[in-house]
Amino acid sequence: MASSVTVFEGRVFNVRIDEVRWDDGAEERLDVVEHRGSVTILATPGPAELVLVRQYRHAVGSALWELPAGAAEPGEDPLAAAARELREETGYRAGSIRPFASLYTTPGFCDEIIHFFHAERLEPGDQALDGDERIDVATFAWEAAWSLVAGGEIADCKTVLALLWMQTNRGELGRGFGR
């Protein structure tokens, strides 16, 4: 890399511009979004149901049903972040929470990695929302969640990917995903 300059520092992400010199001598400018990482939680109160949250997403101008999710705090362990986000957004505390995947969201321009967790043996409680959050919580049967996908009310990749994973491993739900 020839040079790297941070051009924006924000609350959620930073942006840098890298000047890269390839092995063949060509040079290119690359814009990179830096993100501290995030978590999403597939919370299953029972074997045929899952918890979804609905919140307005300003960037797309619409309220969407999604899995509970959020950014990790600086230096926060992803497992701790998942337990915290589940509790804050839904009020649930998990008796068991396990990782099942970690994926880059958009590696063409962003370094964000999202860690997926499965939470079960849920105990209800009160939400602890941030001041900028307005979140509805509901439990859906598996088929109802797919109806939300078909109707466009679930339209984010992390939730659809987790639902596909759940569909593929449905027989494993009682055994804690991927063990």
Side-chain angles (χ1 to χ4, degrees), residues 57-88:
R57 295 302 196 179
H58 182 73
V60 298
S62 183
L64 302 174
W65 285 103
E66 308 173 17
L67 291 177
E73 298 296 333
E76 186 178 28
D77 175 74
L79 179 63
R84 177 185 52 75
E85 285 292 342
L86 178 65
R87 186 180 63 258
E88 287 177 359

Side-chain angles (χ1 to χ4, degrees), residues 15 17 21 50 53 59 62 73 77 80 87 96 103 116 123 129 140 157:
V15 178
I17 298 173
R21 181 173 297 119
L50 69 152
V53 296
S62 183
E73 298 296 333
D77 175 74
R87 186 180 63 258
S96 171
L103 302 168
F116 290 78
E123 294 291 329
L129 300 175
F140 290 87
C157 287

Side-chain angles (χ1 to χ4, degrees), residues 11-29:
R11 183 177 63 90
V12 177
F13 61 87
N14 298 334
V15 178
R16 72 174 196 261
I17 298 173
D18 293 347
E19 296 289 338
V20 177
R21 181 173 297 119
W22 302 110
D23 291 340
D24 64 6
E27 295 183 5
E28 186 173 1
R29 174 190 149 156

Side-chain angles (χ1 to χ4, degrees), residues 91-102:
Y92 284 111
R93 293 181 187 273
S96 171
I97 187 165
R98 295 181 180 87
F100 67 87
S102 293

Side-chain angles (χ1 to χ4, degrees), residues 28-175:
E28 186 173 1
R29 174 190 149 156
L30 299 173
D31 301 332
V32 179
V33 175
E34 300 172 327
H35 191 282
R36 64 180 174 261
S38 57
V39 297
T40 192
I41 307 96
L42 176 59
T44 55
E49 56 189 8
L50 69 152
V51 175
L52 295 175
V53 296
R54 186 171 191 261
Q55 58 186 320
Y56 178 76
R57 295 302 196 179
H58 182 73
V60 298
S62 183
L64 302 174
W65 285 103
E66 308 173 17
L67 291 177
E73 298 296 333
E76 186 178 28
D77 175 74
L79 179 63
R84 177 185 52 75
E85 285 292 342
L86 178 65
R87 186 180 63 258
E88 287 177 359
E89 290 193 358
T90 70
Y92 284 111
R93 293 181 187 273
S96 171
I97 187 165
R98 295 181 180 87
F100 67 87
S102 293
L103 302 168
Y104 289 106
T105 59
T106 49
F109 66 89
C110 183
D111 68 357
E112 179 185 11
I113 190 165
I114 189 165
H115 303 282
F116 290 78
F117 291 87
H118 175 228
E120 53 190 341
R121 297 193 332 262
L122 304 180
E123 294 291 329
D126 295 327
Q127 289 175 300
L129 300 175
D130 292 335
D132 64 344
E133 292 179 314
R134 310 292 185 273
I135 296 176
D136 298 319
V137 180
T139 300
F140 290 87
W142 169 253
E143 294 77 14
W146 278 114
S147 293
L148 291 173
V149 172
E153 292 182 78
I154 292 177
D156 74 297
C157 287
K158 72 182 181 314
T159 301
V160 174
L161 283 171
L163 289 172
L164 287 168
W165 188 89
M166 183 178 170
Q167 181 178 18
T168 302
N169 295 288
R170 211 163 170 193
E172 297 295 313
L173 280 175
R175 290 183 272 167

